[in-house]
Amino acid sequence: MDRDLKSRFATIVGERHALDQAADIAPYIEDTRGRWNGTSSLVLRPGSVAEVSAILALATQTRTPVIPQGGNTGLVGAGLPWLEGGGREVILSLGRMNRVLDVDGDTNTMVVEAGCVLETIQKAAEEADRLFPLSLGSQGSCQIGGNISSNAGGTAVLAYGNTRDLIMGLEAVLPSGAVWNGLSRLRKDNTGYDLKNLLVGAEGTLGVVTKAVLKLFPRPRGREVAYVAVQSPNHALKLLNRAKATVGNGLTGFEFMAAMAMEFTLKHTQGVRRPVETVSPWYVLVEISSGRCAQDARASMEAILQEAFEADLLVDATIAQSAAQQDAFWKLREDMSWAQKPEGASIKHDISVPVGALPAFIEKADKAVLTIVPEARIVNFGHMGDGNLHYNISQPVGWEREQFFAHEEAIHEAVYDLVIAMEGSISAEHGVGQMKRDKLATIKDPTALSMMRSIKDALDPAGIMNPGKVLQFEQTP
């Protein structure tokens, strides 16, 4: 980028918020997995919607590619420079736009800026005796704009839905610089296309989300968390259905994990303990919430576990005895992604299949992967209640990283072929980004791809928004 153009961009945000030195840019172009590190010559940190608007208008005028970025916690390279971008892209970091603007207990809504950290939003809701249920392992650093742009899932989808289900309205800046004010608090508004849902999950390819109206919920008056040891995925599925039949939407968590995932977490996370005495091939974390009282949640949990024990669906179980132990139980689950890192390279899949197909998928996928790499360590865990499994494979003991990654494409192909055969999705909650863009082009319905490209061309005719992500063959600057 020439000096004159850099200067024009820097004038919009102020020199202090225009970063062009390598050391300052480095945190914005690196991902935690080390897979999508690209290059950029400029990071802009706007402090207002007007500044975002001016940046995008100039970018469209000069055909400068722009990458919107939140907390940089993504896993598919959506918020990082395109590896084929040549360093021409400007990173647009929303971190300065981080205010909670309004909390309304009567309408159960909260208005926030896109750079607001998820944990800050959760705490603001709690202070108003409300709940914002989106919960992720990265909630201390991820930003709501990134959550919206990736349609983040997390551990509460079973009861509350994905991020898409938690959004009432948005404000966004289009590539032209035009500002769309869709900050509606209406539960019903049947006046045409639902424009916010074009931007939720678009991964920054259509515009920049700058504000959001979020849905809030009553805080549960009772909450119980239990760890359960089960013999198989089929037993876990039957336990899930029994729990749903008993408490319905009161089942606010049902996390499923293989023994390997548990052992890695116990090994690499300080201060955690094995939650049940029995060493089992599979474990389930169950959370039940009650809007009435703590006694109601406790009675429901005890009844479910007693019935499951009598039906031979579990081999051991323990209920957390304090709020601190509840948090410790959840930490075991939330640290499972991180705990794989010390074990070496990992080939990851964020897939979903119909809930009833999960046991069959696991059996067939395990067989396919072990045919390719017999010594592979399969590390399954995920949100069984909504059919989302993080089907991860860690490198065999004694192998080198490059030796393991030589089998990556074959493993991806085997896993994704099964997902497609079972009418599932290759991306349940992490998004497409750079990682799955080319695969998406081979499996997505051609008419759907054509519709997506038409939307992209209509809103971003200059092709400046996050090029190289989600879609192939898009117009690029």
Side-chain angles (χ1 to χ4, degrees), residues 29-46:
I29 61 175
E30 300 171 352
D31 78 317
T32 57
R33 294 185 61 199
R35 304 297 302 275
W36 309 106
N37 298 346
T39 57
S40 173
S41 57
L42 186 63
V43 175
L44 299 174
R45 302 182 68 245

Side-chain angles (χ1 to χ4, degrees), residues 5 12 16 38 48 68 74-75 148 202 269 296 309 316 352 363 420:
L5 184 54
I12 296 171
R16 189 159 63 98
S48 69
L75 298 173
I148 292 167
T269 301
D296 182 61
F309 182 77
D316 198 358
S352 63
E363 180 181 359
I420 295 161

Side-chain angles (χ1 to χ4, degrees), residues 414-469:
V415 171
Y416 290 148
D417 282 352
L418 273 173
V419 169
I420 295 161
M422 293 184 172
E423 300 181 333
S425 171
I426 65 169
S427 178
E429 62 179 4
H430 292 167
V432 177
Q434 302 178 63
M435 181 180 181
K436 301 178 183 180
R437 179 198 62 207
D438 294 342
K439 185 64 178 178
L440 186 72
T442 68
I443 65 171
K444 192 80 171 176
D445 173 72
T447 301
L449 284 173
S450 177
M451 292 170 68
M452 290 167 66
R453 291 192 183 103
S454 295
I455 293 168
K456 170 72 171 172
D457 291 342
L459 294 181
D460 184 22
I464 66 159
M465 294 306 306
N466 217 5
K469 319 295 170 52

Side-chain angles (χ1 to χ4, degrees), residues 225-231 235-236 239 254-257 262 275-276 278 280-287 301 304-305 308-309 313-319 329:
V225 180
Y227 253 100
V228 182
V230 296
Q231 285 294 328
H235 287 87
L239 177 61
F254 197 93
E255 299 293 301
F256 175 64
M257 57 218 85
M262 177 69 75
V276 292
T278 303
S280 178
W282 300 94
Y283 299 90
V284 175
L285 184 151
V286 183
E287 180 181 278
M301 179 69 83
I304 289 167
L305 296 181
F309 182 77
L313 297 183
L314 61 85
V315 293
D316 198 358
T318 184
I319 302 174
F329 280 8

Side-chain angles (χ1 to χ4, degrees), residues 168 188 212 401:
M168 294 192 72
K188 289 185 175 181
R401 178 184 179 93

Side-chain angles (χ1 to χ4, degrees), residues 54-135:
I55 290 168
L56 292 193
L58 178 58
T60 292
Q61 176 191 341
T62 58
R63 292 187 174 270
T64 304
V66 175
I67 306 168
Q69 188 180 97
N72 194 18
T73 61
L75 298 173
V76 293
L80 292 162
W82 184 22
L83 294 182
E84 300 170 34
R88 296 181 57 239
E89 298 156 314
V90 170
I91 295 175
L92 184 65
S93 172
L94 279 294
R96 289 179 61 217
M97 299 171 62
N98 58 10
R99 294 176 298 166
V100 174
L101 299 173
D102 181 61
V103 181
D104 186 339
D106 291 331
T107 60
N108 283 302
T109 60
M110 181 188 298
V111 183
V112 299
E113 291 184 312
C116 200
V117 172
L118 176 56
E119 194 168 69
T120 301
I121 293 170
Q122 294 168 340
K123 290 178 179 177
E126 184 176 356
E127 289 170 2
D129 195 29
R130 296 293 186 272
L131 171 71
F132 184 66
L134 183 63
S135 180

Side-chain angles (χ1 to χ4, degrees), residues 4 6 26 44 73 77 87 89 109 118 135 145 175-176 197 200 208 223 226 250 272 296 307 320 322 348 361 381:
D4 177 64
K6 272 190 182 181
L44 299 174
T73 61
E89 298 156 314
T109 60
L118 176 56
S135 180
S176 65
N197 272 322
V200 178
V208 178
R223 173 175 174 254
V272 298
D296 182 61
E307 291 173 9
S322 65
K348 298 181 182 293
F361 170 81
F381 58 91

